[in-house]
Amino acid sequence: MFDTLRDVFERHGFVPIQTPSFENLSTLTGKYGEEGDQLIFKILNNGDYLAKADEGALAAKDSKGLTASISKKALRYDLTVPFARFVVMNRNDLTFPFRRYQIQNVWRGDRPGKGRYQEFTQCDCDIIGSESTLCELDLVQIFDEALTALGVPGYRIVVNDRRILQALAGSIGVNEDQFQDWTVAVDKLDKVGVEGVIRELADRGLSEGVQEAMKGLVTLRASNAEGIQWEELARRCDGRAEAEQGLEDMRALLERAQAMGVKPESIRIDPLLARGLDYYTGAIFEVVVDSAPVGSICGGGRYADLTGIFGWEGMSGVGISFGADRIEDVLNHFDAWPELVNRGLDVMILRMSDQTLSSELALAKELREAGLGVEVYPETAKLKKQFKYADDRRARWVLLQGEEEAATQSFSLKNMSDGTQRVIPASAVRAHLLG
Amino acid sequence: MFDTLRDVFERHGFVPIQTPSFENLSTLTGKYGEEGDQLIFKILNNGDYLAKADEGALAAKDSKGLTASISKKALRYDLTVPFARFVVMNRNDLTFPFRRYQIQNVWRGDRPGKGRYQEFTQCDCDIIGSESTLCELDLVQIFDEALTALGVPGYRIVVNDRRILQALAGSIGVNEDQFQDWTVAVDKLDKVGVEGVIRELADRGLSEGVQEAMKGLVTLRASNAEGIQWEELARRCDGRAEAEQGLEDMRALLERAQAMGVKPESIRIDPLLARGLDYYTGAIFEVVVDSAPVGSICGGGRYADLTGIFGWEGMSGVGISFGADRIEDVLNHFDAWPELVNRGLDVMILRMSDQTLSSELALAKELREAGLGVEVYPETAKLKKQFKYADDRRARWVLLQGEEEAATQSFSLKNMSDGTQRVIPASAVRAHLLG
């Protein structure tokens, strides 16, 4: 899977970077909200860590207060913050716009569950230093090309724009202070339905007017499944210059993506797509798979100012992230792993006697040089045992040189898929297997 | 580099496994000696970890005593212990002999230095469940094939056998209790010379007779550079059945390796090769690079009983480990990276006007589908700026469609290595670049 992703990323001009697993705890703290801070894995300082521990916190048995004094490092929680730190640290050596991809593990102290892991691999692509919407197009093409190449069935790239989302919220009377609360509720629409969202809006103190108007937005969203309601969207964004630009960008993105071969059924606009993350300021992406056992398998969006937290303001970027383990879950669920991934061994050479060892080894070497995966059974065990091993290893061919074959410098070749057997000269085995 | 290693491993029938970064701290403690225990990175328990902290240790400010009660998990320190745990946990599902390879990071709290990192990638191959010396042959071939494919200059596979080492120690009067002390001293031979080793033997309380006799062993080792002194080795092993078997195994390994094409200058027997690790019981491997700035780049050996620590006794195995970061250091030192690794972008397409956008995008798509790495500059910036970017990205070709080219549905193509320029029809670009 990673080879496939790498290949697609590089064809789009992205360069690979890697950052260390450890970041300073202080770099990570405060970037993922209070809940996120709890889920960061902290590394205990080596040596006599209590010698420098915070005395007051220790006496009060205040775990939270003590942590910073006994743990300097932590495991990265995502790839975005380390990337922002990397860009700021290397700003003088990088060429902008800078396109990087990064395939590395991240760690989160979640309770493990369906589609949630404490350690998982993220595959991120980001373009930083350009506000052009062609960047968004590149990323949508990457989603489409990569998921097609991986054979993910029925994926859907869902697109929205934070500016549209804000306009829609405004159009039903949500004010700026309430916007965050409103998105948290709206994010749960697929899980709890419109009634659930309205209940949550009430709990969070949004007005009855907003609750009632929410139904209209949900209807608008549902009708988008048939074809985007540009007019209705435009009406609701009317007079909000930012939102109108967002609508225009989204329309262009959709058109260009389809001109580039993205199938209409693979991409959809969802004007209520929110994704919790606060830092998106323009496009928002999510990829879902119909009737799959996990949530979204990819996400992303544009952030007007990611490096600002490290003291470099105003660098606009846009990025996406593939959740490798969730994609794996989906492929397993649909039993859709490409043949390649499951392949066993090509050739098993059985060990017959001390006399045949050198021709067995020489043949193994020759076949390996031809690119085949070859194992020589390490002992002259009973044939039955060796054949069972070859079977367990799902070998495609088994070769053996008994006394008769040795006399004529040949091998018996068994095709393990159809069970046929034949004797061929040692010098012809390679050509036979490759032909 | 990892692709190359993977390819060699798989041609030898090894299957990939991955284990989590976290192991239980109790699984790791006590496996790497006291010094190793200090270097294991421990993860602070999440939540209110002080609530369950050891009261006594807390009151005494005893860091060492407190650790187990506030840290359940730790980062893996090598790939061997997690592999042993994996084998025991999955014993009923695996086919033995089991050949696995594993390419993952490990973490050690060393002070970072030349050739030492706190986080580094190990690439391990192990065969477990067979005592056949053909396993050792497989691993020596893998060393040779992989290091050749990676272009590591002047590598040398150094081989010894623990049983020979023990016999040699015995032959100069080292008794069993002193063997561990003796190997620690002998391990430093290349660093401190024979005088240094003798001094350390004295410090560790070994007799003057042993110290004096040590010189004879060092001479024997040096003479091996010319050709192995089988007779002298045999004389010293005489009457020790185990050592004689070790000698016989090593002789066969050397012969077979050379018959398989390993060059005589690439493999050497060093009867004093010890490698600190206590668990080797048969063959011992190390790979060094002459005049390289790091220590050994690979190591390994046979262990009679690795899974015993997890309650499954008597499973013999043999394994090797590639130190990826050290190999990288060596390649950097000799500036020996294959061309491939450093390659920039294939094609940069410049952005000219709104009218040409669709033909620029369509060409990018076509060239990507042909396997090229292609970037479209995201904005219609000044040509000079765009060319500078293409240059910084080390693009091989630059394509642009000005007004004239647009009128004739063609592109200007600049070859960035020789500076030549020509105009060709859009439909011919692909064939031109690939031809």
Side-chain angles (χ1 to χ4, degrees), chain B residues 226-238:
Chain B
E226 313 292 314
I228 300 140
Q229 308 296 309
W230 291 117
E231 281 170 29
E232 172 68 6
L233 279 172
R235 198 184 58 74
R236 287 184 181 258
C237 294
D238 188 35

Side-chain angles (χ1 to χ4, degrees), chain A residues 11-13 21 42 44 48-50 55 61 63 67 97 119 130 132 260 365 368 374 378-379 389 393, chain B residues 11-13 21 42 44 48-50 55 61 63 97 119 130 132 260 365 368 374 378-379 389 393:
Chain A
R11 274 191 277 141
H12 282 263
S21 300
K42 292 116 193 154
L44 194 58
D48 185 12
Y49 53 88
L50 284 176
E55 296 288 345
K61 295 198 74 175
S63 296
T67 302
E119 173 177 19
S130 166
S132 164
M260 289 294 105
K365 180 174 153 68
R368 279 175 191 142
V374 183
E379 284 136 37
Y389 177 83
R393 288 283 284 112
Chain B
R11 274 189 279 141
H12 282 263
S21 300
K42 291 115 192 153
L44 194 57
D48 185 11
Y49 53 88
L50 286 176
E55 296 289 345
K61 294 196 75 176
S63 295
E119 172 176 18
S130 166
S132 164
M260 288 293 105
K365 179 174 153 70
R368 279 176 190 140
V374 183
E379 282 135 39
Y389 177 83
R393 288 284 284 113

Side-chain angles (χ1 to χ4, degrees), chain A residues 79-275:
Chain A
L79 302 179
T80 308
V81 168
F83 171 59
R85 181 192 54 68
F86 174 91
V87 167
V88 173
M89 282 182 61
N90 297 283
R91 56 195 289 183
N92 294 322
D93 300 321
L94 296 175
T95 301
F96 294 94
F98 177 56
R99 315 170 153 233
R100 83 86 172 78
Y101 74 85
Q102 189 170 353
I103 300 182
Q104 290 193 286
N105 284 359
V106 304
W107 291 266
R108 297 181 184 181
D110 268 320
R111 243 169 245 284
K114 200 86 182 159
R116 276 188 315 177
Y117 309 87
Q118 294 209 327
E119 173 177 19
F120 54 98
T121 308
Q122 283 193 339
C123 312
D124 277 23
C125 278
D126 289 81
I127 306 173
I128 191 161
S130 166
E131 294 182 7
S132 164
T133 55
L134 289 184
C135 300
E136 275 85 345
L137 176 63
D138 242 329
L139 297 176
V140 166
Q141 285 183 274
I142 287 176
F143 274 144
D144 191 56
E145 290 166 24
L147 296 170
T148 299
L150 288 172
V152 175
Y155 62 86
R156 219 182 271 272
I157 305 163
V158 188
V159 183
N160 195 16
D161 191 296
R162 169 84 166 216
R163 295 165 294 181
I164 296 172
L165 192 68
Q166 266 165 328
L168 293 184
S171 79
I172 63 167
V174 177
N175 65 41
E176 252 178 64
D177 293 349
Q178 301 169 323
F179 182 64
Q180 183 65 24
D181 276 327
W182 181 76
T183 55
V184 171
V186 167
D187 241 357
K188 299 181 183 157
L189 186 54
D190 283 329
K191 234 186 265 166
V192 301
V194 62
E195 296 304 326
V197 170
I198 289 174
R199 219 171 303 127
E200 175 138 6
L201 290 175
D203 289 348
R204 289 175 176 266
L206 280 90
S207 71
E208 282 187 23
V210 169
Q211 295 168 40
E212 189 55 34
M214 194 63 219
K215 289 178 191 164
L217 289 185
V218 173
T219 308
L220 169 63
R221 176 195 190 234
S223 64
N224 262 296
E226 311 293 314
I228 301 141
Q229 310 296 306
W230 292 116
E231 283 170 29
E232 172 67 6
L233 280 172
R235 198 184 58 72
R236 287 184 182 257
C237 293
D238 188 33
R240 293 177 167 91
E242 278 217 317
E244 283 175 350
Q245 183 61 50
L247 210 51
E248 183 46 42
D249 287 352
M250 209 158 63
R251 187 201 292 264
L253 176 61
L254 209 69
E255 257 177 40
R256 287 176 187 153
Q258 293 186 5
M260 289 294 105
V262 177
K263 294 201 194 80
E265 65 267 28
S266 301
I267 186 164
R268 192 181 67 199
I269 288 185
D270 174 358
L272 292 184
L273 176 67
R275 289 186 70 81

Side-chain angles (χ1 to χ4, degrees), chain A residues 10-13 15 20-22 38 40-44 46 48-50 55 61-63 66-67 70 73 75 95-97 99 107 109 118-119 130-132 134-135 137-138 141 256 260 343 345 351 357 361-362 365 368 371-379 389 392-393, chain B residues 10-13 15 20-22 38 40-44 46 48-50 55 61-63 66-67 70 73 75 95-97 99 107 109 118-119 130-132 134-135 137-138 141 256 260 343 345 351 357 361-362 365 368 371-379 389 392-393:
Chain A
E10 295 194 357
R11 274 191 277 141
H12 282 263
V15 298
S21 300
F22 297 164
Q38 298 290 323
I40 293 170
F41 280 112
K42 292 116 193 154
I43 311 281
L44 194 58
N46 275 339
D48 185 12
Y49 53 88
L50 284 176
E55 296 288 345
K61 295 198 74 175
D62 170 10
S63 296
L66 183 66
T67 302
I70 63 170
K73 290 174 188 153
L75 290 167
T95 301
F96 294 94
R99 315 170 153 233
W107 291 266
Q118 294 209 327
E119 173 177 19
S130 166
E131 294 182 7
S132 164
L134 289 184
C135 300
L137 176 63
D138 242 329
Q141 285 183 274
R256 287 176 187 153
M260 289 294 105
R343 93 188 154 85
L345 188 68
R351 279 284 293 116
L357 176 59
L361 290 177
K365 180 174 153 68
R368 279 175 191 142
L372 294 171
V374 183
E375 237 181 281
V376 180
Y377 197 83
E379 284 136 37
Y389 177 83
D392 286 345
R393 288 283 284 112
Chain B
E10 294 193 358
R11 274 189 279 141
H12 282 263
V15 297
S21 300
F22 297 163
Q38 297 291 320
I40 294 170
F41 280 113
K42 291 115 192 153
I43 310 281
L44 194 57
N46 276 338
D48 185 11
Y49 53 88
L50 286 176
E55 296 289 345
K61 294 196 75 176
D62 169 11
S63 295
L66 182 66
T67 303
I70 64 170
K73 289 173 190 158
L75 290 167
T95 302
F96 293 96
R99 316 172 148 229
W107 291 266
Q118 294 209 327
E119 172 176 18
S130 166
E131 295 181 7
S132 164
L134 289 184
C135 300
L137 177 63
D138 242 328
Q141 286 183 275
R256 286 175 188 154
M260 288 293 105
R343 94 190 153 85
L345 188 68
R351 280 285 293 116
L357 175 61
L361 290 176
K365 179 174 153 70
R368 279 176 190 140
L372 294 171
V374 183
E375 236 180 282
V376 180
Y377 197 83
E379 282 135 39
Y389 177 83
D392 286 344
R393 288 284 284 113

Side-chain angles (χ1 to χ4, degrees), chain A residues 264-315:
Chain A
E265 65 267 28
S266 301
I267 186 164
R268 192 181 67 199
I269 288 185
D270 174 358
L272 292 184
L273 176 67
R275 289 186 70 81
L277 293 173
D278 238 5
Y279 50 67
Y280 293 134
T281 53
I284 304 174
F285 302 119
E286 183 165 278
V287 179
V288 294
V289 175
D290 297 335
S291 66
V294 294
S296 59
I297 56 171
C298 307
R302 178 174 285 277
Y303 32 87
D305 182 23
L306 185 72
T307 54
I309 50 174
F310 298 109
W312 191 18
E313 314 256 316
M315 284 294 279

